[in-house]
Amino acid sequence: MTTIAIETQGLTHRFGDFTAVDNLSLSIPEKTIYGFLGPNGCGKSTSMRLITGLLTPTSGKIRVLGMDIPTQTEELRLRIGYMTQKFSLYEDLSVIENLRFIAQIYNLDPRLSKLRINEQLAAYELNERSSRLAGSLSGGQRQRLALACATLHKPELLILDEPTSAVDPENRRDFWEKLFDLCDQGTTILVSTHYMDEAERCHGIAILESGVKRADGSPTQLMKDLGAQVIEIGGDNLRQLKQQLIAHADIISAAQQGTHLRVLIKENIAQPQAWLQQTFVETMQGRDLTLVRPSLEDVFVHCTGEGRQ
Amino acid sequence: MSSAAISIHNSLQRIYAIMVKELRQLSRDRPTFGMIVMIPLIQLLLFGFAINTNVRNLPVALVDQSNSEITRTLVADLTASQVVNFIQQYPTPAEAANALTRGEIRAALIIPKDIAQRLNDERPTAQWLIDGSDTMVGNAIFALKNMPLTTLNSRALAGNYNSTKSTFEMTLFYNPERRSAINIVPGLVGIILTMTMVLFTSAALVRERERGNLELLITTPVKPMELMVGKIVPYVFVGLIQMAIILGLGHLIFDVPINGRLDQLLLAALVFISASLTLGMLISTIAKTQLQAMQLTVFLLIPSILLSGFMFPYEGMPKLAQWIAEALPATHFIRLIRGIILRAGTLMDLWPDLLWLASFTVIGLLVAAKRFKKRLD
């Protein structure tokens, strides 16, 4: 039986009359990478802050690593690592000084911490820059330093709030490799993102919108269970075609991808290609219609969008 | 329109756009907006009443060795002048001098046994022992030197009175030449330390919050009190260095004596520096931005300069201003440092001010740690 690392029931948080997190129930097994996927302002950060005890929930229950939050927040702090959205280490301290500071804050044994810091410097490819000021590092290097600091005390649970929002694609890939290494070593990782490719790497995800969980499960399962069919349409005048299509009630969405229009059609339509050709006789003439495998973005588009203004 | 006119018009329009934007932002920064109104309002009301260079009702003591009717008349005459207020009576001049060291009184009037004879001969009638460390206070009492004793003379001894003789013999303690540097330099330690210590710490927490460091710190096992103490201690040394510079240069350039013991001075300074740093920390838990922290610091600094006794004697202020002065750490420290440096007092003599500063530090730290929650809500 798998152990549950994070469990929330009916978690709700309000700022005044704005509900940031609405009745969120989660069950995240340990030693997995779990992602919060959603647009900005969907409640990802607030949920993470609630789980780490930085915010007190308006209502609902939270258990993290078997501890009741927020009452046992101080005990939890020693067992989790937290990486903030904005770089939050000291820019006027060097790489190694930041690591030493964190080691002392977590009361690591001085002899062991020296070894551990060297280990982290090597693992995160920072040993050649150990005396550089953190403020002078590139985006990717900063993220590696932040991760090195967050994992210095070997936390059982790692919480990363949009860790790669200021990182180029190559560094992002490396960063995820590190996360899989950590997960392999037994760390549970909770990560938030608004990148589809990142969400797709997670073992499990929850799609959040306006503080509400719209869907959760493994990315593969979510794609399989998408309640819609995806057709790619080629040809000219795609902008006009899009306007025409989205006006129809049975078409969930249409989005241009290069030379194609990606159209989500409700699943009760039996033959989507034939249906399109019959419904939009003139405009479909001479166009190339292909039924394709749903992507995570399709899932995302399908289950969000209602609350968007 | 000529091209020059167009260019000026465009320029004015851009200036106008920036002005409007600036005012909008200002009106949305509530605390700053409040300060714009409150700083002049409060400070004006405060200092309009408080700054009073006519020193009145200085606390003084009486040492009466004659026990005669003349003493009572003399005391009544002096009290009527409103310059002094007799609050104590001591049997010997030595005890009065001790009270002077402790800072309880500013001067003591010594009435000699033979006052009746003295009224008639060339000798001064009585003697004042004056705390000269505050020149403004010293001067106020010094002005009594030739006070005519009209009541006494007209009553019994008319005819013999020599109007050219001095009524009192004046003995100035601690600052016989009445040099203002002697009074200013130790006080300056209090003012400069208030300025730098409060400034350093008031921005400290706010800066961490602005840079995002705080969000990381609060997820670590750091306790609020640990954070407060850890941030304060380094500045204690900064404060001690500043004090050493001021007093050292004061001694070399202005010849300000250090009559008291250095260990007493060090202890007093440590407690005051801690109190000022704590005050800064408190500001830091209130202010949201570094600008607000700066304004709050200035808001506190002005009364510290004007009301603490640094510029104007405490006794010359109305009751309300005295109460405000009592709430400022600088007031207590300036009393301490003048007592130690100029009057060779010890902390045993000056314990109420030391106790006040120590209590302020402890209570202030507790409040700051309590206000600083390790939560974001």
Side-chain angles (χ1 to χ4, degrees), chain B residues 36-263:
Chain B
I36 290 171
V37 181
M38 295 306 277
I39 288 181
L41 193 75
I42 294 181
Q43 308 274 20
L44 176 82
L45 289 177
L46 214 58
F47 302 130
F49 291 118
I51 296 169
N52 180 4
T53 50
N54 296 328
V55 182
R56 275 161 189 268
N57 295 323
L58 293 168
V60 296
L62 177 68
V63 179
D64 185 10
Q65 295 169 328
S66 80
N67 245 327
S68 65
E69 179 64 25
I70 302 172
T71 305
R72 278 181 284 280
T73 318
L74 192 57
V75 166
D77 269 5
L78 284 165
T79 309
S81 76
Q82 292 194 352
V83 175
V84 292
N85 180 22
F86 287 91
I87 59 161
Q88 269 292 353
Q89 181 154 11
Y90 295 104
T92 65
E95 280 171 74
N98 283 338
L100 215 53
T101 304
R102 288 195 300 272
E104 287 168 14
I105 52 168
R106 293 294 203 162
L109 177 64
I110 317 288
I111 308 275
K113 277 200 183 89
D114 52 354
I115 186 157
Q117 288 157 31
R118 278 167 176 265
L119 271 172
N120 295 316
D121 59 29
E122 292 300 304
R123 293 175 298 164
T125 316
Q127 184 191 23
W128 278 105
L129 305 180
I130 308 165
D131 169 7
S133 62
D134 189 325
T135 41
M136 217 181 274
V137 170
N139 290 342
I141 297 176
F142 215 85
L144 298 171
K145 186 173 181 179
N146 297 315
M147 187 177 97
L149 298 176
T150 41
T151 331
L152 281 174
N153 289 316
S154 63
R155 188 179 290 177
L157 306 143
N160 275 342
Y161 185 62
N162 178 357
S163 63
T164 56
K165 79 160 190 180
S166 298
T167 311
F168 298 111
E169 182 190 322
M170 298 305 202
T171 309
L172 274 161
F173 282 20
Y174 319 122
N175 185 9
E177 301 109 84
R178 290 196 271 166
R179 288 187 297 125
S180 54
I182 297 239
N183 188 44
I184 293 293
V185 170
L188 203 57
V189 175
I191 296 306
I192 292 182
L193 286 183
T194 300
M195 187 151 58
T196 52
M197 294 297 100
V198 177
L199 254 186
F200 277 140
T201 40
S202 67
L205 270 181
V206 184
R207 191 168 55 233
E208 297 236 0
R209 185 175 287 129
E210 280 186 342
R211 290 188 186 170
N213 307 134
L214 209 58
E215 204 188 334
L216 175 86
L217 275 184
I218 56 179
T219 61
T220 69
V222 170
K223 306 265 185 308
M225 191 53 104
E226 295 164 357
L227 186 63
M228 300 289 157
V229 174
K231 278 185 152 292
I232 280 178
V233 171
Y235 294 109
V236 171
F237 296 101
V238 175
L240 288 178
I241 291 169
Q242 286 187 320
M243 183 176 77
I245 292 172
I246 301 165
L247 290 181
L249 287 181
H251 190 63
L252 287 176
I253 300 173
F254 300 106
D255 203 23
V256 175
I258 298 177
N259 299 324
R261 279 161 49 190
L262 282 177
D263 61 327

Side-chain angles (χ1 to χ4, degrees), chain B residues 22-23 26-27 29-42 295 299:
Chain B
E22 206 62 32
L23 284 172
L26 199 57
S27 70
D29 183 356
R30 281 296 162 96
T32 302
F33 201 65
M35 289 279 191
I36 290 171
V37 181
M38 295 306 277
I39 288 181
L41 193 75
I42 294 181
Q295 285 177 313
F299 191 71

